[in-house]
Amino acid sequence: TRKTGAAVTEMVRPRKPTDSFADAGRLFSAQVDEVPTMRVPRRPQSSSRHSFSGKHEFRMLPLLSNKDLTEAKRKELFVQKLAQCGVVFDFQNFDENIEGKEAKQQTLVEILDYMSDRVGIVTPDVYPTLFSMVSANLFRTIPPQINAFGDPYDPEEDEPREEPAWPHLYLVYHIFLRFLESGDFNSSAARPYIDQAFTTQLLDLFDCEDVRERESLKTVLHRIYGKMLGMRSFIRRSINNIFLQFTYETQRHNGVAELLEILGSIINGFTVPLKEEHINFLHRVLIPLHKARPMSLYYAQLSYCTIQFLDKDPMLGDSIIKALLRYWPKVNSPKELMFVNEIEGILDSIDPAQFTIICQMLFQQLVKCIVSPHFQVAERTLAMWRNTYIVNLITDNIHLVLPIVLSGIYRHSRSHWNRNIHNQVFQVLRFFVNVNEEMFEHCLAEFRSMRDSERQRSAKNTNWWTKIEKLAK
């Protein structure tokens, strides 16, 4: 196994460390007139590590398709091949044991074809060998998430490492999926093997960097959730724990998007009315994911899960929007765009009574988006007036929405730097005039009166400060 450590920093003129702070950093360890040299990227390491006990010889056994074999001999040979594929090769060195790696790959392909073409071959006596083979190949240590320079891995900036052993892992995942999807699968016989320890190890693999493996894991875990009814509650709790740790501790996990995809299917199967456990999950686990920094990596899946809850219970619209307003980004415009998109999706499914409750608080925030100097945020918010259902909700509650929106956008309608925003604001103002011209004129008169009062107050304050300045001189 390759040893890893902190990135080594080289100086033009290295100093001998004299105290415990000598290695605190390359800038602090350099003299004033010294210029640190650029760091040399370390050799890339694989995205996982197996334990190897030495060289293995992989001996090819007779083919399962051999017509001279009896069914009993073929079954015995099938189990032998499964056991043989429990041998794990070291892919850190691609030139090592090439023949053995190719032989194992051919054997895995043969097993997969055999399981696909035949029925009744996966009997309970095969389970121990099959699970032993799957565990030996899949379960391994995921190393620390660092990039080539030894800095923390950033999924938004750094390229993910691909698993070098993927040619073998790909086939093992497909063999396990074929087993789970087989008509011969017996959940009672699989219960001793698909237990909490096995499921926990599967969930740990979601933190790997290889997207291909996470996609396979997503399918495997979804099949286990559907087949093993007794494991459903444990799987949901385990995913909850991963999300809570991600939100409140690390904010680093590669598999959040895939886990949310699984939850989207699970939420879709919840019965109505929703259980208290599920509502607590929404408010305590799902909604707080909006405040994590790397939200862009899983925004689509998170938004889908939130709207799934709303489809199950439209009365949750009030609490969901209030929670989103609480986590609304202050200085992150790309993230603000995601929030606006999600708000529109929620408003598409919200109950009209819930909209009446939340509309004033919501439009106070949306007005800030309309007058935002970031034109994409303003443009995306104004695009809500093209949504027929949202327009109908605004029309029914115009007495609550118009005073808030008018005072905000009328003040800034001519000061925004983007002319497209001017045109869209004008269209929104025209919409309000067409809906209720009398109310629009009344609100406009109140706004102008308030603006004149503010100007008079400002002029009065200026005069007072001018007099005070003269007296001070």
Side-chain angles (χ1 to χ4, degrees):
T1 306
R2 184 178 297 121
K3 295 182 180 180
T4 59
V8 178
T9 304
E10 297 180 359
M11 299 298 173
V12 173
R13 188 172 48 188
R15 296 189 303 168
K16 188 175 181 180
T18 56
D19 53 42
S20 59
F21 297 101
D23 296 325
R26 62 190 184 113
L27 295 179
F28 292 99
S29 62
Q31 298 288 352
V32 176
D33 57 345
E34 292 177 1
V35 180
T37 60
M38 291 186 64
R39 295 180 299 178
V40 179
R42 63 175 62 193
R43 293 171 60 194
Q45 62 184 15
S46 67
S47 61
S48 62
R49 301 176 190 169
H50 286 282
S51 297
F52 304 100
S53 57
K55 294 185 177 180
H56 302 286
E57 292 186 4
F58 198 95
R59 182 172 55 88
M60 291 295 291
L61 298 174
L63 296 177
L64 291 168
S65 58
N66 191 338
K67 297 181 179 179
D68 296 334
L69 294 173
T70 63
E71 286 301 319
K73 287 290 185 181
R74 186 175 283 108
K75 178 73 172 293
E76 182 181 349
L77 181 60
F78 173 62
V79 174
Q80 289 177 3
K81 285 179 177 285
L82 284 175
Q84 191 181 35
C85 289
V87 174
V88 180
F89 291 94
D90 184 3
F91 277 82
Q92 298 284 354
N93 187 354
F94 288 97
D95 298 328
E96 180 181 327
N97 209 341
I98 295 177
E99 293 181 358
K101 293 173 183 176
E102 292 179 351
K104 179 180 176 180
Q105 186 170 348
Q106 294 174 10
T107 303
L108 288 170
V109 171
E110 185 185 5
I111 292 173
L112 180 59
D113 293 339
Y114 181 72
M115 294 178 66
S116 303
D117 297 338
R118 290 177 174 264
V119 180
I121 59 172
V122 184
T123 53
D125 57 318
V126 177
Y127 285 25
T129 310
L130 188 144
F131 276 97
S132 176
M133 185 273 290
V134 169
S135 299
N137 282 274
L138 300 187
F139 299 152
R140 71 269 187 202
T141 303
I142 303 296
Q145 305 290 320
I146 56 175
N147 61 17
F149 291 103
D151 298 325
Y153 170 73
D154 186 351
E156 295 179 306
E157 299 290 338
D158 301 323
E159 287 294 326
R161 299 187 190 93
E162 293 187 347
E163 174 57 56
W166 181 245
H168 287 183
L169 293 181
Y170 169 80
L171 294 167
V172 173
Y173 275 114
H174 275 68
I175 289 171
F176 192 43
L177 273 174
R178 190 71 64 192
F179 162 71
L180 293 172
E181 296 170 351
S182 170
D184 304 322
F185 178 79
N186 188 328
S187 59
S188 300
R191 191 175 297 120
Y193 306 100
I194 305 180
D195 54 6
Q196 293 186 3
F198 183 89
T199 308
T200 300
Q201 288 179 292
L202 272 181
L203 288 167
D204 288 342
L205 292 176
F206 274 93
D207 199 21
C208 67
E209 294 182 34
D210 198 320
V211 179
R212 302 168 299 179
E213 181 167 10
R214 297 203 302 270
E215 286 295 318
S216 298
L217 282 166
K218 179 182 68 178
T219 309
V220 166
L221 189 62
H222 193 269
R223 296 293 182 272
I224 291 176
Y225 189 89
K227 297 280 188 177
M228 308 298 293
L229 303 183
M231 294 298 298
R232 290 185 174 183
S233 178
F234 176 77
I235 290 174
R236 291 198 303 269
R237 290 199 310 271
S238 299
I239 294 176
N240 291 0
N241 292 337
I242 291 173
F243 286 163
L244 289 171
Q245 186 179 30
F246 169 78
T247 303
Y248 296 105
E249 295 181 16
T250 63
Q251 298 225 347
R252 293 184 182 278
H253 196 283
N254 294 316
V256 175
E258 288 79 11
L259 291 172
L260 283 171
E261 281 191 52
I262 297 172
L263 279 174
S265 301
I266 293 174
I267 295 167
N268 193 33
F270 284 167
T271 57
V272 179
L274 292 173
K275 297 179 182 179
E276 185 178 356
E277 170 199 350
H278 302 152
I279 296 176
N280 287 339
F281 164 73
L282 169 67
H283 292 299
R284 298 178 183 176
V285 181
L286 205 60
I287 296 295
L289 283 172
H290 287 83
K291 71 178 184 178
R293 184 182 64 85
M295 178 185 158
S296 60
L297 300 175
Y298 55 82
Y299 153 71
Q301 295 84 357
L302 179 59
S303 178
Y304 176 78
C305 290
T306 305
I307 294 174
Q308 282 289 306
F309 268 105
L310 197 58
D311 290 339
K312 291 288 181 181
D313 186 358
M315 303 305 291
L316 291 171
D318 173 29
S319 58
I320 290 176
I321 291 178
K322 284 182 179 177
L324 289 180
L325 293 176
R326 187 165 64 250
Y327 296 126
W328 200 278
K330 300 295 189 297
V331 292
N332 191 336
S333 297
K335 193 172 182 180
E336 198 169 9
L337 274 172
M338 300 177 204
F339 272 65
V340 174
N341 285 329
E342 186 167 357
I343 286 291
E344 182 172 5
I346 291 171
L347 292 180
D348 267 333
S349 305
I350 198 170
D351 184 78
Q354 294 290 302
F355 180 82
T356 302
I357 297 173
I358 199 65
C359 66
Q360 289 179 298
M361 184 185 301
L362 173 62
F363 275 87
Q364 287 174 358
Q365 180 61 54
L366 292 181
V367 166
K368 295 178 183 178
C369 295
I370 293 173
V371 302
S372 169
H374 195 287
F375 83 96
Q376 289 180 329
V377 174
E379 192 173 47
R380 184 63 190 85
T381 308
L382 289 166
M384 286 188 182
W385 269 263
R386 302 193 197 106
N387 187 305
T388 305
Y389 184 69
I390 296 177
V391 166
N392 292 335
L393 290 174
I394 295 173
T395 302
D396 294 340
N397 297 274
I398 194 167
H399 60 289
L400 300 174
V401 175
L402 180 57
I404 298 171
V405 175
L406 185 63
S407 61
I409 65 175
Y410 194 83
R411 188 189 305 271
H412 297 85
S413 60
R414 298 180 181 179
S415 61
H416 202 282
W417 64 271
N418 190 290
R419 290 192 175 183
N420 291 332
I421 302 301
H422 294 178
N423 297 333
Q424 293 186 49
V425 167
F426 178 75
Q427 295 296 330
V428 170
L429 293 175
R430 179 185 291 179
F431 159 77
F432 284 123
V433 171
N434 294 335
V435 171
N436 193 328
E437 184 175 359
E438 183 180 351
M439 181 177 292
F440 180 85
E441 293 296 339
H442 175 72
C443 292
L444 185 59
E446 285 190 348
F447 166 72
R448 287 173 174 169
S449 175
M450 186 187 308
R451 184 184 59 184
D452 292 341
S453 299
E454 289 178 358
R455 288 176 177 174
Q456 291 175 5
R457 191 182 307 112
S458 177
K460 187 176 180 180
N461 289 339
T462 303
N463 292 334
W464 274 107
W465 283 110
T466 302
K467 293 178 180 179
I468 292 173
E469 185 179 359
K470 289 180 179 179
L471 291 173
K473 291 180 180 179

